[in-house]
Amino acid sequence: VVVYVVDSANPEAIPESRRELHGIMAKQGLERVPLLVLGNKNDLNPHLEECALRTQLDLDSLAANRELACYSVSSKNQNNLKVVLRWLQAHAKKK
């Protein structure tokens, strides 16, 4: 699994983050590797919600050959961390 964390409270950084993510996922050997995208800092306002992250990071184009999940989280307040851990556990059991 590739875990990619983006600062969802900094929309100016999203274009560069999108380029980095797409560059990483285009590397040989990662074609079918599951991708978990975490939009951190959902405790701050404003921040990008999951739907906006999916759109602005163009995640649909990365989901063609792999499982992909995107969650809005806060590592500070531990928002949505349980669902992230469940997703990771489910994928660890597959291998």
Side-chain angles (χ1 to χ4, degrees):
V1 172
V2 172
V3 178
Y4 192 80
V5 181
V6 61
D7 182 348
S8 67
N10 184 2
E12 294 83 24
I14 295 296
E16 180 180 351
S17 188
R18 179 180 53 240
R19 284 189 297 278
E20 288 292 324
L21 175 60
H22 283 260
I24 291 167
M25 298 313 292
K27 293 190 186 297
Q28 188 173 9
L30 294 179
E31 296 88 9
R32 299 200 183 281
V33 173
L35 173 61
L36 174 61
V37 177
L38 303 177
N40 193 30
K41 298 186 181 177
N42 74 2
D43 55 303
L44 300 178
N45 282 314
H47 68 271
L48 297 174
E49 296 289 341
E50 291 169 24
C51 185
L53 283 170
R54 282 185 168 276
T55 301
Q56 292 189 30
L57 293 173
D58 190 22
L59 296 182
D60 288 342
S61 69
L62 297 174
N65 297 321
R66 69 176 47 90
E67 289 185 64
L68 187 142
C70 178
Y71 297 104
S72 176
V73 301
S74 169
S75 54
K76 178 182 175 186
N77 293 345
Q78 301 181 353
N79 295 342
N80 282 341
L81 294 187
K82 286 183 181 179
V83 70
V84 168
L85 291 174
R86 271 182 269 166
W87 191 91
L88 287 168
Q89 287 174 331
H91 285 79
K93 291 178 182 179
K94 290 183 179 182
K95 296 290 177 186

